[in-house]
Amino acid sequence: MQIIQKYTPFFVSALLMGIVLYVIYPHYQYFIDPDSTSYLTISKRYATGDIHAAINGYWSPWSCWLTALLTKTGMQVIPASIVINALAATGFLYVSQSLFLKFGIIPKLQWLLNITLAFFLCFAVFAQSFDDLWECFFLLCALRIMLSTRFSASPGLWICTGIIGALGYFAKAYSFPFFILNTLTCCYFIDKKQWLKIAATAIVVMIICSSWWICILHHKYGFWTTATTGSLNLSWYLVGHPYWAHGIDLLLPPAYPDSPCYWEDPFYANGATPHFWSSWYLFGMQLIRICYNLYKFLMSILQLSVFFPFILFLFTRFVSNRKTRSPDPAFIIALTSFLFPVGYLLINFESRYIWYLLPLGMVAGSMFLHEYLSGRGGKKGMHFLPVIFAFSFLIYPAYGMVVMYNEGNKEADIATQLKRLNIRGSFTATVKPHLETQRMERLAYFSGNQFYSIPKQTIKEGDVLREMRRYHVKYFFSIDTTKLVDEQGKPFSEITKGSIDGLKVFQVNP
């Protein structure tokens, strides 16, 4: 009964989150972020038994597995993915409350933070509907176990930590190197006498539990890897663009004949992957990239909360203050908060990449507020500070919900019209801005067609037609006034005849 009472803020906030998600779902169901087009396709493949194509080194499998299982009950894949991601959000909320209790956050602040997280997670569920929330949930669970007072004396908890670490890896590949680094570092400060035994046990268990998936990836791609994501992203962000495989020129073919686009598995279209160790020039470029990524890191933490730079200062104080060192939990959460972003310094930053820091930052800020307000003796007006602090975490999510509102509805409507007109097959379009390309990827997914994207910014006259002939791409989609002419200079006729608002379709190949 006492446990239920302690977790009452979680139960109420989880219920609130569920109600809000149910109410707003019709307005956000078609917001398919760039990653989700691939994740949804992979989930469908698992559900239909197309296992070989479903196995993927670029997109992590955990959410796909769960989504596929839910679709087997008869649910459509998009609502199934949202339900699965809502489960991750519920777990995220639960482990956050566990951390608030661990650090003795006062009940009023617990309620404020739980309600804040509930609304934040309503945004997060739709903003990235597959991997990030599950990764954060598992990694925060592993951290919470390490913060347990019984952790050093309980081999069972070491094993449990390793199992959860493997689940984190299945949720997102970034968890694999981070779990190893975080476990080694945190265990050293938790118990300096037997830290190596504890860390080795957890890491070995994690690797053993992950090994079967690594073997499957080796069987598919022909080399040992935990994921193709790291190598590709390290190269792309460093060089500024991919190098394509031999034979690829203007059009990027989908990964498989029935893929919505190339992004389902970009490994097959990619060529060389130079990294910062490939040359001194690229090493220098990596240093410049790190400086730029530090700026992006600052922007990302500000999207979490305008107070997060100050929270980083608090973390620095926890780490540098000898009184808070081993085995004080405040030192551990500060340490892990500095370790988590390290890998992204080489690649890129978005605020969703660092959602792991969110409850840890809330803990640090709440501890400071309690100390500050206690010293002020309840001075008039100070009771607003916790409210301002808590709701600062909702500024960017509120903006995001406005931006995402009814996003994707137009593509879903156009896809319905394309199906009605029996326009089925491969297509391309000369869209250059990133958002327009994203629209085409959504349209491909909703309509069941295959999008041959054009990554080049400069296109010579006749190149598109030549490539369409080469790949036998059936349709050319135009969202502006662009028209395509044949080899004799004669325009292709529009088969939609103006029946689809905002889109013209021209058939090029039978």
Side-chain angles (χ1 to χ4, degrees):
M1 193 67 182
Q2 189 177 7
I3 294 178
I4 294 176
Q5 186 177 2
K6 286 182 178 180
Y7 281 89
T8 299
F10 156 72
F11 290 121
V12 173
S13 299
L15 178 61
L16 175 64
M17 180 180 69
I19 294 171
V20 173
L21 287 173
Y22 179 80
V23 171
I24 68 176
Y25 174 77
H27 299 287
Y28 295 92
Q29 60 181 319
Y30 296 122
F31 175 79
I32 306 297
D33 64 89
D35 296 356
S36 293
T37 300
S38 300
Y39 276 121
L40 290 167
T41 303
I42 293 167
S43 298
K44 282 184 177 180
R45 294 193 188 282
Y46 277 117
T48 57
D50 187 7
I51 304 299
H52 178 76
I55 294 167
N56 199 293
Y58 196 80
W59 307 106
S60 299
W62 177 258
S63 291
C64 298
W65 294 337
L66 297 184
T67 301
L69 285 174
L70 195 54
T71 59
K72 297 289 280 186
T73 67
M75 184 178 288
Q76 294 297 311
V77 67
I78 291 178
S81 70
I82 297 302
V83 169
I84 294 302
N85 211 30
L87 288 177
T90 304
F92 187 100
L93 191 62
Y94 171 82
V95 73
S96 297
Q97 172 62 8
S98 181
L99 286 166
F100 300 154
L101 291 170
K102 171 66 179 178
F103 285 88
I105 306 304
I106 60 174
K108 288 182 179 179
L109 258 177
Q110 287 181 34
W111 277 99
L112 269 175
L113 296 177
N114 271 275
I115 292 171
T116 297
L117 273 175
F119 284 106
F120 173 88
L121 290 167
C122 289
F123 157 74
V125 163
F126 291 105
Q128 214 299 327
S129 52
F130 275 85
D131 54 357
D132 287 296
L133 283 177
W134 278 110
E135 177 201 35
C136 293
F137 166 61
F138 288 130
L139 292 180
L140 287 169
C141 282
L143 175 66
R144 181 63 186 87
I145 291 173
M146 287 193 287
L147 291 174
S148 170
T149 54
R150 299 183 294 110
F151 180 69
S152 294
S154 177
L157 291 181
W158 310 345
I159 294 170
C160 186
T161 302
I163 294 171
I164 292 174
L167 294 176
Y169 161 59
F170 295 145
K172 191 170 182 177
Y174 184 77
S175 296
F176 194 96
F178 170 73
F179 180 83
I180 294 173
L181 174 64
N182 190 60
T183 302
L184 284 169
T185 309
C186 290
C187 285
Y188 174 77
F189 288 101
I190 289 171
D191 190 334
K192 292 184 179 180
K193 291 183 179 180
Q194 55 176 351
W195 70 275
L196 191 57
K197 181 171 69 172
I198 298 172
T201 301
I203 292 169
V204 168
V205 168
M206 185 271 286
I207 293 174
I208 290 173
C209 292
S210 305
S211 60
W212 67 275
W213 178 249
I214 295 172
C215 289
I216 288 174
L217 293 181
H218 176 266
H219 178 74
K220 179 166 185 174
Y221 295 102
F223 58 92
W224 291 106
T225 183
T226 57
T228 59
T229 321
S231 180
L232 292 178
N233 286 347
L234 275 170
S235 178
W236 293 344
Y237 280 104
L238 175 60
V239 178
H241 59 83
Y243 288 103
W244 306 116
H246 178 72
I248 292 179
D249 184 14
L250 180 65
L251 294 185
L252 279 178
Y256 302 102
D258 59 345
S259 295
C261 63
Y262 129 93
W263 277 107
E264 185 184 343
D265 197 341
F267 173 81
Y268 291 112
N270 204 83
T273 53
H275 298 101
F276 66 85
W277 56 83
S278 301
S279 69
W280 283 109
Y281 169 76
L282 289 179
F283 182 80
M285 290 299 294
Q286 185 67 76
L287 295 178
I288 295 173
R289 182 77 206 182
I290 289 173
C291 293
Y292 176 64
N293 284 343
L294 284 171
Y295 163 76
K296 295 198 74 174
F297 175 65
L298 175 61
M299 294 298 102
S300 297
I301 62 172
L302 286 172
Q303 288 175 6
L304 295 182
S305 168
V306 293
F307 296 115
F308 225 94
F310 179 72
I311 290 171
L312 289 184
F313 167 76
L314 295 178
F315 285 149
T316 304
R317 192 176 72 169
F318 290 159
V319 169
S320 60
N321 189 350
R322 292 184 179 181
K323 293 181 180 179
T324 63
R325 291 191 179 183
S326 169
D328 189 84
F331 175 84
I332 300 301
I333 66 164
L335 184 63
T336 191
S337 297
F338 284 124
L339 291 175
F340 188 77
V342 167
Y344 289 116
L345 283 173
L346 299 174
I347 303 173
N348 187 40
F349 273 105
E350 295 180 22
S351 60
R352 66 183 177 90
Y353 294 171
I354 53 175
W355 285 344
Y356 176 79
L357 306 184
L358 194 64
L360 306 181
M362 288 181 165
V363 166
S366 298
M367 291 171 67
F368 171 79
L369 279 174
H370 179 70
E371 178 186 333
Y372 180 78
L373 293 177
S374 298
R376 293 278 171 164
K379 191 175 180 180
K380 187 178 179 181
M382 292 296 175
H383 59 280
F384 287 111
L385 288 179
V387 177
I388 294 171
F389 171 73
F391 286 95
S392 70
F393 292 91
L394 295 181
I395 296 173
Y396 183 75
Y399 166 76
M401 294 302 280
V402 172
V403 171
M404 292 190 299
Y405 186 78
N406 285 335
E407 181 72 19
N409 287 15
K410 185 175 182 179
E411 288 77 57
D413 291 340
I414 291 175
T416 300
Q417 296 176 67
L418 290 173
K419 291 177 181 178
R420 189 176 65 247
L421 295 171
N422 199 32
I423 297 175
R424 298 178 182 274
S426 56
F427 73 94
T428 189
T430 53
V431 290
K432 296 179 182 179
H434 170 70
L435 291 178
E436 293 298 338
T437 301
Q438 183 179 334
R439 283 188 60 198
M440 290 296 112
E441 291 170 1
R442 278 198 201 121
L443 186 56
Y445 176 79
F446 290 143
S447 64
N449 294 326
Q450 296 78 49
F451 176 43
Y452 283 68
S453 56
I454 304 175
K456 290 186 177 180
Q457 296 296 307
T458 303
I459 304 170
K460 295 179 182 178
E461 187 176 354
D463 282 356
V464 175
L465 180 61
R466 172 177 54 81
E467 286 282 275
M468 290 184 72
R469 298 294 195 202
R470 175 190 173 197
Y471 289 108
H472 208 75
V473 177
K474 192 172 183 180
Y475 301 109
F476 178 79
F477 285 11
S478 175
I479 59 174
D480 48 31
T481 58
T482 304
K483 291 186 179 181
L484 201 65
V485 297
D486 63 17
E487 288 82 355
Q488 287 73 43
K490 182 181 178 181
F492 290 96
S493 59
E494 182 192 347
I495 63 174
T496 42
K497 306 294 184 183
S499 60
I500 300 180
D501 183 33
L503 180 70
K504 296 178 181 179
V505 179
F506 302 88
Q507 184 168 342
V508 174
N509 292 300

